[in-house]
Amino acid sequence: MSRPETAAPRGLYTTAARQSLAKLSPRLLLRNPVIFVTAVVAALTTLLACRDLAAGTGGGVTIQITLWLWITVLFANFAEALAEGRGKARADSLRATGQETRVKRLPSAEAPHASAEAVSSAELRKGQIVLVEAGDLIPIDGEAVAGVASVNESAITGESAPVIREAGGDRSSVTGGTTVVSDWLVIRVTADPGQSFIDRMIALVEGAERQKTPNEIALSILLTGLTLIFLFVVVTLEPFARYSGTSIPVVFLAALFVTLIPTTIGGLLSAIGIAGMDRLVKANVIAKSGRAVEAAGDVDVLLLDKTGTITFGNRMADAFVPAQGVGEARLAEAAWLASQSDDTPEGKSVVALAARLLGDALPRAEISAHVAFSAQTRLSGVDLEQGTMIRKGATDAILRHTGAEPDPVLAGRIEAIARSGGTPLLVSQDDRILGAIHLKDIIKPGVRERFAELRAMGVRTVMITGDNPLTAAAIAAEAGVDDFMAEATPEAKLQRIRDEQAQGRLVAMCGDGSNDAPALAQADVGVAMNSGTPAAKEAGNLIDLDSDPTKLIEIVMTGKQLLISRGALTTFSIANDAAKYFAILPALFLGAYPGLAALNLMGLSSPESAILSAVIFNALVIVALIPLALRGVRYAPVSASALLRRNLLLYGLGGLVVPFLGIKAIDMIVVALALV
């Protein structure tokens, strides 16, 4: 859920205007080489203007050029300050959720609640144990190690409906700033003060931890190279002019240099990056690095964990399907016993379904050993004292365990369950298969449509699940993914990502469980659900606070929009510079070479008005493009070639035409006002 804007535009603009003056510090300007060079040139023309005034030689044009050069620097600073200001306004609302409070610290996870010690939340450290009860604010990020509670996460996600957080499983993670609505939790702190998710988000939106991405660094190097090239071009104009019997004032050369270097994209580059990250934060996604956001814009393959990502993940026991000669009550009794050591939501749902069916007739048996579920055996159960083994697990696991085959009728019903998108669990007693349990999972609404959007963007979706191939195929068909990988182990997920990357593809992975952590760490873009385990959130480089796997659509679009915005405005800026070169140069050399009048397409009045008009246009175009830099160029799911054609036509051709129109209009105003 997107957050509403938190600051009034007027206050935002006023603050940004003040910050643009503060950013005139050379130390801050050095971070942007193009604008730093512009400020150096403005300082040079300031000295020339002072010299002319002291000598009494007028200098009206010099003063005007100097003022507009400084205005160019201020406008570039204003664009960056405005982008940062929007982030700071959002950070203030986030910071309000991190208030210091009194908490109940326990000496250990097993300690009784009565031994709780009241301390300040600022004293908590990673690894310590905290008790939170109904009405308490969860002080910092942690993992539930005991208890179950309803938690209001609206301060973080914007969703008013409480969610369930419980120890064990993939929904044990809690976030600082949320509130316990009912019951209680014992939490192990997983972050030191200042290192929580909220703190990371605040630092991100304020720009305190925003590092330049590789693409941004490469573009900065390109802009610096262009600046050096134009410096060489402008420096050679003076000796060329002298050879031609004319002279160009130094202030004109300085102004020409600033109008030719890529000041437009140089002034907007930082704002584009900050605004892109801000859009991501507005979508309730924490990015650990800007590299991940840009990589999202180039993703080719998306791997999604089915449980909790494509589906809600709460597979519930829906029905008992007995084998031939086995009564439903006997199957329910065996399933109830086999689920006694299964603390997963599925196991609990089997116990609940059996209890509803059996009522007061629950089995009474002496259990000698509990067999816990593991990813390797994929079954669980109990051993009774009389030597009977009761097991419940995946179809292939039970078949291997018993060495038996289900009867034809049961086999048909198992296949029907799998084809319907359900999950069949077999129940056995010793070497006999008693029947199956039908587990149902529910596809999240809107998933199919979102995957269609991804396909239009050129992103291939692959569902990864531990389910059997029939179940996986049914879910994949219903969800609309392009491919699926069934019976996947953590090692298989990791290998699939490596295989895709070996073929030159960028891979994104969504997941929420500890078993997803290796794959999340290997993927170019790892999106962890906030409701998932701490291990998953540590492994991912993006964290979705809403725990909505379809959010990756927005992440991909934000990444693509960031790349497209930067590319479009770079194209416009460079085209601008080329147009200004051919528009201004004929006016400057018209006296020495009358034949250049044919190239003076705009009919500029004089060299003075030409250079002043170009400087004014150069400053104003930055202001005109600030809304586009902050909002981003609109992205439509089209092919790369179609996108390139559109950008070249719109921003390339536009960058060539707009300076001619703009400089001519300004020239007419300058002449009409007798400014030169």
Side-chain angles (χ1 to χ4, degrees), residues 603-621:
L604 301 178
S605 304
S606 65
E608 291 82 2
S609 68
I611 199 70
L612 181 59
S613 299
V615 170
I616 295 174
F617 174 84
N618 197 58
L620 295 181
V621 75

Side-chain angles (χ1 to χ4, degrees), residues 197-216:
F197 291 130
I198 291 297
D199 294 318
R200 291 183 191 178
M201 181 178 275
I202 290 171
L204 175 68
V205 299
E206 287 185 328
E209 293 184 359
R210 197 190 84 86
Q211 303 296 322
K212 286 188 176 181
T213 63
N215 285 343
E216 200 170 349

Side-chain angles (χ1 to χ4, degrees), residues 101-293:
T101 184
R102 302 293 290 179
V103 297
K104 308 176 190 74
R105 186 169 62 189
L106 298 175
S108 70
E110 294 77 22
H113 295 181
S115 61
E117 172 192 9
V119 299
S120 169
S121 58
E123 299 179 29
L124 294 178
R125 293 295 180 270
K126 188 174 181 179
Q128 294 183 344
I129 306 299
V130 176
L131 169 67
V132 288
E133 299 174 296
D136 288 349
L137 183 76
I138 295 177
I140 198 167
D141 299 345
E143 180 182 15
V145 294
V148 57
S150 176
V151 179
N152 181 355
E153 297 184 342
S154 60
I156 306 298
T157 66
E159 295 290 346
S160 57
V163 296
I164 300 298
R165 293 289 176 257
E166 59 183 333
D170 292 342
R171 299 186 181 276
S172 60
S173 180
V174 294
T175 306
T178 58
T179 305
V180 178
V181 177
S182 65
D183 301 295
W184 57 271
L185 288 171
V186 174
I187 298 169
R188 178 183 291 110
V189 177
T190 58
D192 290 327
Q195 300 297 319
S196 68
F197 291 130
I198 291 297
D199 294 318
R200 291 183 191 178
M201 181 178 275
I202 290 171
L204 175 68
V205 299
E206 287 185 328
E209 293 184 359
R210 197 190 84 86
Q211 303 296 322
K212 286 188 176 181
T213 63
N215 285 343
E216 200 170 349
I217 292 172
L219 183 55
S220 296
I221 294 173
L222 172 64
L223 299 183
T224 302
L226 290 175
T227 300
L228 293 174
I229 291 172
F230 281 120
L231 176 62
F232 176 77
V233 169
V234 171
V235 167
T236 59
L237 286 180
E238 176 59 20
F240 185 78
R242 288 183 181 275
Y243 176 79
S244 303
T246 187
S247 178
I248 302 176
V250 175
V251 68
F252 283 11
L253 290 174
L256 175 63
F257 172 60
V258 170
T259 59
L260 295 183
I261 64 176
T263 50
T264 304
I265 185 61
L268 297 174
L269 184 60
S270 182
I272 293 170
I274 295 172
M277 300 296 281
D278 181 65
R279 285 193 294 275
L280 196 66
V281 171
K282 195 175 178 182
N284 266 2
V285 177
I286 298 176
K288 295 183 181 178
S289 71
R291 184 192 299 263
V293 183

Side-chain angles (χ1 to χ4, degrees), residues 407-439:
D407 62 73
V409 175
L410 179 60
R413 299 189 68 178
I414 290 172
E415 185 174 346
I417 291 172
R419 290 190 181 281
S420 70
T423 301
L425 291 182
L426 293 190
V427 180
S428 69
Q429 180 174 323
D430 296 326
D431 59 355
R432 182 181 182 185
I433 298 174
L434 299 180
I437 306 169
H438 183 182
L439 296 181

Side-chain angles (χ1 to χ4, degrees), residues 481-521:
V481 296
D482 298 310
D483 195 5
F484 68 89
M485 184 178 176
E487 298 179 344
T489 62
E491 294 80 10
K493 297 178 187 179
L494 187 61
Q495 188 59 46
R496 178 63 181 259
I497 292 176
R498 287 173 175 168
D499 291 343
E500 296 283 359
Q501 290 172 331
Q503 298 177 43
R505 301 188 182 101
L506 284 181
V507 181
M509 167 77 184
C510 275
D512 61 352
S514 297
N515 63 337
D516 296 323
L520 288 170

